[in-house]
Amino acid sequence: MERIEIETRQSTELIDITGKVKEIVKSKSGDVDSGICVVFTKHTTSGIIINENETGLKSDILALLNELIPKGKGYLHDRIDDNAHSHLRSVVLGSSVTIPIEKGGLALGTWQSIFFVECDGPRRRDVYVKVIEG
Ligand code: ZN
């Protein structure tokens, strides 16, 4: 399993990690021509998603998270550490994505990028990448 270290700068932020995931898959391509790649965050206040890397859309996604799950809405978890909205956004986003590998590379669609979504930054984060042959 490989690890990608990320330093986030905002409380909520989309970070494109496609290039780093591609590098990892490429480094294994001698071993894995066909298979799957799992990208996973170990944190309960972040997410992993696949979508288009377009400036307006990235702002729209952050606005949607704010609208769906606003901060400080009387959540019970806020009694402990005041970041219930961050956990709830993580629940909606999901903690991992799986991408097929074909011909030694990620079989992403033309407009698909892999994003780490920070929901409780800024922090130092670890994303794990597992490449499986099959
Ligand atoms: Zn918490």
Side-chain angles (χ1 to χ4, degrees):
M1 191 151 71
E2 304 287 329
R3 185 165 59 92
I4 298 170
E5 284 183 36
I6 300 170
E7 292 273 353
T8 64
R9 297 195 182 94
Q10 312 288 330
S11 59
T12 312
E13 185 179 5
L14 285 163
I15 296 168
D16 190 331
I17 57 170
T18 312
K20 285 177 176 160
V21 177
K22 277 184 177 170
E23 273 175 33
I24 291 169
V25 171
K26 199 176 167 188
S27 74
K28 310 265 177 203
S29 63
D31 319 319
V32 181
D33 180 61
S34 171
I36 57 169
C37 173
V38 178
V39 183
F40 173 71
T41 172
K42 281 196 173 183
H43 310 285
T44 58
T45 54
S46 67
I48 304 284
I49 62 168
I50 292 176
N51 221 291
E52 184 177 347
N53 189 348
E54 190 277 316
T55 308
L57 180 63
K58 289 194 287 180
S59 296
D60 291 338
I61 292 168
L62 297 180
L64 176 70
L65 289 174
N66 273 315
E67 193 180 315
L68 286 177
I69 306 165
K71 188 179 179 182
K73 211 181 147 194
Y75 308 111
L76 300 179
H77 181 70
D78 283 344
R79 295 182 302 196
I80 297 168
D81 65 359
D82 208 29
N83 68 349
H85 65 289
S86 309
H87 293 279
L88 294 172
R89 289 173 188 183
S90 172
V91 166
V92 168
L93 295 167
S95 298
S96 69
V97 295
T98 305
I99 304 131
I101 296 170
E102 295 293 342
K103 295 173 185 166
L106 291 175
L108 285 168
T110 306
W111 303 108
Q112 287 185 314
S113 292
I114 307 160
F115 291 95
F116 174 83
V117 188
E118 176 61 81
C119 298
D120 194 23
R123 282 171 192 263
R124 207 194 66 75
R125 301 293 205 172
D126 289 323
V127 170
Y128 290 83
V129 179
K130 182 81 179 177
V131 176
I132 303 159
E133 190 175 12

